Structure formats: C-alpha cells, structure tokens
Amino acid sequence: MEGEKKKRGSRTRWPWVVLALVVVFVAMAMSSKTSPKIALLGAIQRACQCARGTPKYSGMVEDCCCDYETVDHLNREVLYPSLQELVKTPFFRYFKVKLWCDCPFWPDDGMCRLRDCSVCECPESEFPEPFKNPIRLSMNDLICQEGKPQAAVDRTLDSKAFRGWTEIDNPWTNDDETDNDEMTYVNLQLNPERYTGFSGPSARRIWDAVYSENCPKYPSQELCQEEKILYKLISGLHSSISIHIAAEYLLDEDTNLWGQNLTLMYDRVLKHPDRVRNLYFIYLFVLRAVTKAADYLEQAEYDTGNSNEDLKTQSLIKQLLYTPKLQAACPIPFDEAKLWKGQSEPELKQKIQQQFRNISALMDCIGCEKCRLWGKLQVLGLGTALKILFSVNGQENLAQTLQLQRNEVIALMNLLNRLSESVQFVHEMGPTAERIMEGHLSTHTKLISSWKKFWSYAGMGDSSVFL
C-alpha cells in the first residue's frame, strides 16, 4: 500500500513538473532571444536615465597625475569635441601607410570575409600637394644637447625646434618611413575603424604574439615599473580597439544594419576592470606626450595648399594644446621623469624599445587591410608618444632635439582621438551596459536555480549532472 501511494504521488506531481519545466524553458528562450537585441541594437539609448550613484572608477588613475572624474569631465567638455573636429581637417585626414607587406614571423593566412576589410586608397590627385615632397635630414643636421645623465628623462623640449617636416625613421617602430615608393595615402574619414569580420585563429595569433613575445606576464613581482607600463599601454590600446569594433558593429549582414554590440564590449572590456583602467592610462600617457610637445606642435606647418583649412587646423591645435581647463585641472597627465632611474636603465630602455619595434612589425601580419591600416596608425602614434617622452635615438649621453615626421603627428593626434572616443563611450554607455548584461546573467542564474529545484522536487536526485 505504501509503495502504491508513492507511485500515485509521483504520477500526480509529474504534470506540474512538466508544466513548470516548459515555463522555465520558455523563459530562458525569451531571455536569450531578447538579450542580444537589447545589447546589439543599442536600446539602452532609449531607456530611462537612472541615477548612477558612486562611479565605478574613482580616485587617481594608476601611475598618472589625474583622477578618473577629471579625465571624464575634461574629455567630454574639452578634448573630445576639439579632437573630433581636428581629425576631419585635410592635414589630419590623410595618412601615409605601407599596406602590402610580408609578415616577418609567419606566412599570412588571414581570411577576411567582409567588403569592409578592404581599404579605399587615395588617387594621387586627391591628397595635398605639399605631402608629396618630404624633406630628409641626416643625423648630422640635428642639434644635440650634451651633459645630461645617461638615461635621464628630459621633461622639457626645445621650444624653437620645428624646422620643417622630416622623414627620419622612428627608433620605436619597424617601418622604413623613407621608402615612399611602397607607401600610399589613405583618407581616414573614408576608412573608419570598425568591425570587419576579421576573426578566428589568425586574428587571435596577432594579440597572442603581442602579449606572449613582447609584453612580460603581468602582474608579476619581478617586473620593473617600465615593463609594467609597456604592458599597460598595449592592454589599453587593445581595449580601445575592441571598443571601436563593438561601437560600430555589423548587426545584420543581410540588411547591412550597423550599430552597437554592447554584449561584445562587455565581454571584451567592461567586465575586466584592469582593461578599463589601462584604457584611461594610455589616454593620459598619449595626452602627456601631446602637451609636452605643445610648443613644437604649435609652430609646426600644417600646410595642405588650402589656406583657409590650414588656418583652421592651426587654430584647433592651439585650442587643444592651451585650453585653460586642461592646464588647470591636469597640467601633467603622466610624469615620465619618474622612470629610467637605475644604473641598468640604458639597457632596459633598448630592450623595451626593441620589444615595441617587434609589436610594430607584427602589424604586417594582420590579414585584414583595414585592420592593418588602423593597427599601423595607432602603433605609430604610440611609438611617437614614446619617442617624445623617452628620447629619440637611444645614443649614450645624448638627448636629441625633437624632430617629428608629418606622418607621426598625424598618427599621434588620430590615436589620441581614438582613445578619447573610447573613454567617452565607456563613460556614457558603460554603466548602463553593465547593468543590462549583469541583469541578464542574474536572470539566467535564477532560472537555472529554479530548474535544479524542479528536478529535485521530481525526485530525480542530483541535478548537477545535467547542467
């Protein structure tokens, strides 16, 4: 009798269990179906603005001289608007790049399935005439300052250094900038950095090589400050690139629908606080290089043959470099004088310089033309920042007077704009994206918990084997 009662009880429970499981499955399906739409289509822009409360990132940016709140305010109110206008000017719109290169490390097997992988090059008649006749100076033409400590960082620059654009190879980067026969001009406004479909093992191999071969494992107690900074620069650049891919993503290839993929941005950047912190770090690092070279950049000739546009470019440069708000709130974003203090620092500087050159060379291994374009531009921009902050030629007992190529300045300012856009995107969209994504994760967790309870109620024993 007792056994018969148990059987009848079990039979009466089963319909309710089945019904409950159907409800759970439907709820999970609806959740998984609506979640991507919310993330991908950017519906958060239409959501109500909730109180943010205490910012997730506050206090000083690590290894910098400015706090997160000040960076967000200055970027939103001052730097972002100025940079957006600056990079659209004819001078900063055209970038000279070597697109057809053999990978020095492995055979290129990159596959890119989208039309957006290709780069639209400029016909020779389009880009400015003054760009076609570079001035080349030999090392003997440069004035050197003697009497400085072997590895000391000079926080000042010759305010009367500009003597025309030159084409001297950057010791921090791999490309031969004097080989104009293999270089082509690209209109950056027609070739935006965004999702291209370049993915898979070939794409992952690039970043794996950058980190494993050139950046020491971090964090590690064995690393010195300079090695940590190299890692943080690369990590911050990686974060910025990921944000731009997520911010302009192909949501539907059939209808050519583009929008924000907040799921991707959350997975690659937002759920990793160190990656966000490194983004802010590289932004302040590059900003410091620009402000340190302010006198040089102010005097530079932004000649494109269009006098009205050239005057506008000069005005925007001065507006950016000498804005009172920036000078008052964050006069020295990063203090490079704290580095290269030990006796072995000359050897360490050469080692890190070679590591960054290797990173630069890896850009030739990118199997997607547009990805290669923006990889080369941003690595050259970062190499220019390193050149401004940490010497030029690496020769002992010499600190070379600053000389920049036109292409280096174009890359530097476009990189600063890219980083500014990323900081702006994280500040504006990050908190809501995190609430949405973490809310969906919480919903799935509750549904799984309910599933386990139903299995237990049905007398099926340990439900963990099914999950």
Side-chain angles (χ1 to χ4, degrees):
M1 290 292 294
E2 189 67 27
E4 188 65 28
K5 286 182 181 180
K6 286 184 178 181
K7 288 181 181 179
R8 283 200 301 270
S10 177
R11 284 197 296 267
T12 56
R13 283 199 302 267
W14 266 110
W16 293 103
V17 170
V18 171
L19 179 61
L21 283 173
V22 170
V23 171
V24 170
F25 282 126
V26 170
M28 292 181 72
M30 292 299 294
S31 175
S32 63
K33 202 171 182 180
T34 57
S35 173
K37 286 186 178 180
I38 292 176
L40 295 176
L41 298 179
I44 60 167
Q45 293 177 326
R46 301 187 295 273
C48 63
Q49 294 297 318
C50 304
R52 294 194 178 190
T54 304
K56 183 173 182 179
Y57 299 94
S58 60
M60 298 296 290
V61 179
E62 186 182 18
D63 296 322
C64 292
C65 310
C66 202
D67 59 71
Y68 287 96
E69 294 86 351
T70 299
V71 174
D72 287 328
H73 175 74
L74 286 174
N75 187 57
R76 182 179 67 253
E77 301 295 329
V78 179
L79 299 171
Y80 177 79
S82 295
L83 287 164
Q84 288 286 294
E85 197 170 357
L86 183 68
V87 298
K88 294 175 184 175
T89 62
F91 184 89
F92 288 101
R93 186 186 306 161
Y94 298 99
F95 179 66
K96 187 177 67 173
V97 62
K98 189 185 300 182
L99 288 174
W100 305 280
C101 313
D102 293 328
C103 174
F105 302 107
W106 57 74
D108 179 31
D109 60 353
M111 297 296 292
C112 206
R113 62 185 183 83
L114 293 184
R115 179 179 58 185
D116 297 275
C117 284
S118 62
V119 169
C120 175
E121 299 169 32
C122 297
E124 188 169 336
S125 59
E126 179 184 343
F127 62 86
E129 188 68 29
F131 284 26
K132 301 176 185 178
N133 301 306
I135 300 173
R136 294 188 178 89
L137 296 183
S138 70
M139 298 300 289
N140 295 328
D141 293 325
L142 300 171
I143 301 173
C144 298
Q145 301 170 346
E146 300 183 4
K148 295 187 179 296
Q150 191 170 32
V153 173
D154 182 6
R155 286 177 53 173
T156 63
L157 293 176
D158 182 356
S159 62
K160 302 297 180 184
F162 186 79
R163 298 196 302 278
W165 297 115
T166 66
E167 290 214 351
I168 299 174
D169 284 341
N170 188 326
W172 290 85
T173 56
N174 183 67
D175 271 347
D176 179 3
E177 297 293 338
T178 66
D179 189 5
N180 288 287
D181 292 338
E182 295 189 18
M183 310 287 269
T184 184
Y185 279 95
V186 174
N187 187 331
L188 298 175
Q189 296 296 304
L190 299 180
N191 297 277
E193 181 186 24
R194 60 180 182 177
Y195 173 76
T196 63
F198 180 57
S199 59
S202 180
R204 285 194 299 270
R205 182 164 56 177
I206 300 294
W207 286 112
D208 288 344
V210 166
Y211 285 111
S212 65
E213 296 177 19
N214 297 283
C215 291
K217 295 299 182 182
Y218 177 80
S220 169
Q221 299 301 319
E222 299 177 1
L223 293 186
C224 64
Q225 183 69 1
E226 291 80 2
E227 290 174 317
K228 290 181 181 179
I229 282 176
L230 175 61
Y231 173 88
K232 290 168 68 173
L233 290 173
I234 298 305
S235 171
L237 181 60
H238 192 179
S239 296
S240 181
I241 291 172
S242 296
I243 288 169
H244 279 95
I245 292 172
E248 196 166 354
Y249 194 87
L250 183 59
L251 306 176
D252 190 328
E253 193 169 348
D254 294 334
T255 61
N256 197 36
L257 175 64
W258 291 80
Q260 298 168 358
N261 186 338
L262 297 181
T263 304
L264 183 68
M265 187 177 77
Y266 178 82
D267 287 341
R268 291 193 180 180
V269 180
L270 293 179
K271 75 176 181 181
H272 307 279
D274 61 310
R275 297 179 186 178
V276 177
R277 288 193 288 266
N278 291 339
L279 169 64
Y280 277 78
F281 173 80
I282 187 177
Y283 180 46
L284 290 176
F285 184 93
V286 175
L287 180 61
R288 167 55 183 159
V290 170
T291 58
K292 182 176 181 179
D295 290 338
Y296 183 96
L297 294 172
E298 179 192 7
Q299 296 172 41
E301 297 170 357
Y302 301 96
D303 182 16
T304 64
N306 184 325
S307 57
N308 290 333
E309 288 288 350
D310 296 344
L311 287 173
K312 177 183 177 182
T313 303
Q314 193 85 37
S315 175
L316 288 170
I317 283 286
K318 291 181 180 179
Q319 176 184 325
L320 177 70
L321 296 173
Y322 300 113
T323 173
K325 290 183 179 180
L326 176 60
Q327 293 177 329
C330 194
I332 303 179
F334 170 82
D335 187 0
E336 69 280 3
K338 294 180 179 178
L339 304 177
W340 319 110
K341 295 288 189 181
Q343 293 182 348
S344 62
E345 295 309 323
E347 293 78 12
L348 177 61
K349 183 179 291 186
Q350 290 181 0
K351 173 188 173 185
I352 292 179
Q353 190 176 83
Q354 184 58 47
Q355 288 175 326
F356 194 82
R357 284 177 64 87
N358 289 342
I359 293 171
S360 173
L362 279 165
M363 297 302 101
D364 288 336
C365 300
I366 300 174
C368 159
E369 251 189 21
K370 191 168 290 184
C371 307
R372 190 183 310 135
L373 163 66
W374 284 102
K376 280 176 168 284
L377 181 144
Q378 293 178 89
V379 167
L380 176 59
L382 184 52
T384 304
L386 290 163
K387 174 179 174 178
I388 293 170
L389 295 180
F390 300 141
S391 84
V392 179
N393 60 1
Q395 296 180 25
E396 296 182 0
N397 298 318
L398 293 177
Q400 196 179 85
T401 300
L402 180 64
Q403 289 288 320
L404 296 177
Q405 307 163 30
R406 178 192 285 111
N407 219 37
E408 287 177 325
V409 173
I410 293 170
L412 178 68
M413 302 310 292
N414 273 280
L415 170 61
L416 185 60
N417 179 61
R418 297 274 91 189
L419 298 172
S420 171
E421 288 178 341
S422 295
V423 167
Q424 179 87 344
F425 200 84
V426 167
H427 176 66
E428 288 189 347
M429 312 297 284
T432 308
E434 288 178 336
R435 283 197 298 271
I436 288 175
M437 295 307 302
E438 290 167 2
H440 284 305
L441 291 174
S442 175
T443 299
H444 280 287
T445 301
K446 291 178 181 177
L447 289 171
I448 290 173
S449 177
S450 300
W451 190 3
K452 289 182 178 180
K453 289 180 181 178
F454 284 127
W455 278 111
S456 177
Y457 178 74
M460 298 300 292
D462 184 6
S463 61
S464 64
V465 294
F466 298 97
L467 304 176

